[in-house]
Amino acid sequence: MLRLITKRNTLGGLLFLVLVGEVTVASANGLFTPPGLIILSVLYFLYFILLDSLVAKYRLSNIGLLLVNFCLYSVFITGLLHGEIGDYVLRPENRVITTLIRIQCSFYPLFAFYLLEKVAPRKLPTIKLSQSVYMFMAFIVLLSPSKSFGLIKLVDTFSKAPLIAFCFSVVAVVAFIIGLQLHSTTARFKSRFFGLLSVLLLILGLIPHLAAFILLLLAMIIIGFIYILKPYFRTASVV
């Protein structure tokens, strides 16, 4: 267990939590309570370990990381296990913002891993992928009785938005399979300007205000697309 609690894993989970915009979301929906903070911290801590294991095992490029994270986080974790895909049916007036969030939360690990390599580069082997999967699945099962996150919520999402949930699932699986095959072909991307942009996004993510979240959302999508279209960034190693 002590092997899990390293500087890299702790900071990785924290960067994930902030850059995805959870500070604003949690402050708005009332999750910024001691129990809520513990659950969110554990969620992103375990998810970072899982994603870091995938990055190491498959030597993912930035585009590979983007596609894998779209599947695991944008669709599986927040879309199905948290029920946000159901909003396409339950809150049709929010379809644009729901879609933008799906896109934005596909990009955030690109900035998180870049910053992490500056402050806590990988020095030790990652946790075995099988172990990281078991831990994350155990966390999902543990939270499922809450009915707001987990397997019960997943079933509820499919019952309320079956066609949309199915389509997202198919696209996610395809993205995951392709992403795992997109190994890095060049060294890690280095750019002071990209580092500065990542820090600015991190600062926006720390501001518990809706306006800051909207700026974070739009800025991350724009910056993410600009860089992922660059071949030398797209094929670069994540770490």
Side-chain angles (χ1 to χ4, degrees):
M1 178 58 114
L2 290 177
R3 187 185 165 195
L4 296 177
I5 308 174
T6 64
K7 177 183 178 181
R8 179 179 174 83
N9 290 344
T10 302
L11 288 177
L14 182 61
L15 285 171
F16 273 23
L17 187 152
V18 175
L19 281 168
V20 79
E22 202 67 75
V23 171
T24 298
V25 175
S27 61
N29 62 19
L31 272 178
F32 263 7
T33 62
L37 282 173
I38 292 173
I39 291 173
L40 285 175
S41 298
V42 174
L43 169 64
Y44 287 100
F45 177 77
L46 292 177
Y47 182 57
F48 170 77
I49 291 174
L50 172 60
L51 204 54
D52 199 32
S53 298
L54 283 166
V55 167
K57 181 176 178 63
Y58 292 97
R59 296 180 291 108
L60 293 182
S61 60
N62 282 325
I63 185 63
L65 173 62
L66 173 66
L67 293 175
V68 167
N69 185 62
F70 165 75
C71 170
L72 295 181
Y73 188 85
S74 297
V75 176
F76 182 61
I77 294 175
T78 58
L80 298 175
L81 293 175
H82 194 236
E84 292 180 17
I85 285 177
D87 287 347
Y88 281 103
V89 172
L90 300 176
R91 300 178 180 85
E93 70 278 6
N94 293 337
R95 286 177 180 174
V96 172
I97 190 67
T98 300
T99 301
L100 289 175
I101 291 174
R102 303 273 69 69
I103 298 171
Q104 178 263 337
C105 62
S106 300
F107 278 109
Y108 78 89
L110 297 177
F111 303 95
F113 272 103
Y114 188 88
L115 291 176
L116 188 63
E117 286 302 303
K118 296 292 185 182
V119 296
R122 184 187 293 149
K123 296 179 179 179
L124 299 173
T126 59
I127 303 298
K128 287 184 178 180
L129 180 57
S130 58
Q131 293 178 336
S132 64
V133 171
Y134 292 148
M135 289 188 297
F136 195 78
M137 292 304 297
F139 180 75
I140 291 172
V141 172
L142 185 64
L143 286 186
S144 291
S146 69
K147 298 183 180 180
S148 60
F149 180 88
L151 300 178
I152 296 176
K153 189 64 176 179
L154 182 147
V155 173
D156 181 65
T157 303
F158 268 95
S159 66
K160 291 178 178 177
L163 181 59
I164 295 176
F166 175 77
C167 290
F168 263 101
S169 299
V170 171
V171 173
V173 170
V174 172
F176 185 77
I177 294 172
I178 294 175
L180 291 184
Q181 299 177 51
L182 296 175
H183 311 302
S184 57
T185 57
T186 55
R188 190 170 70 88
F189 175 78
K190 295 181 180 180
S191 166
R192 288 184 179 179
F193 187 61
F194 185 78
L196 176 61
L197 291 174
S198 299
V199 171
L200 291 176
L201 291 175
L202 182 66
I203 292 172
L204 280 175
L206 287 168
I207 303 173
H209 193 280
L210 180 59
F213 175 73
I214 297 299
L215 284 175
L216 174 68
L217 178 77
L218 297 176
M220 187 173 290
I221 291 174
I222 294 170
I223 296 169
F225 270 117
I226 288 174
Y227 275 90
I228 209 66
L229 290 174
K230 299 177 183 291
Y232 55 88
F233 179 84
R234 189 166 58 246
T235 61
S237 173
V238 175
V239 296

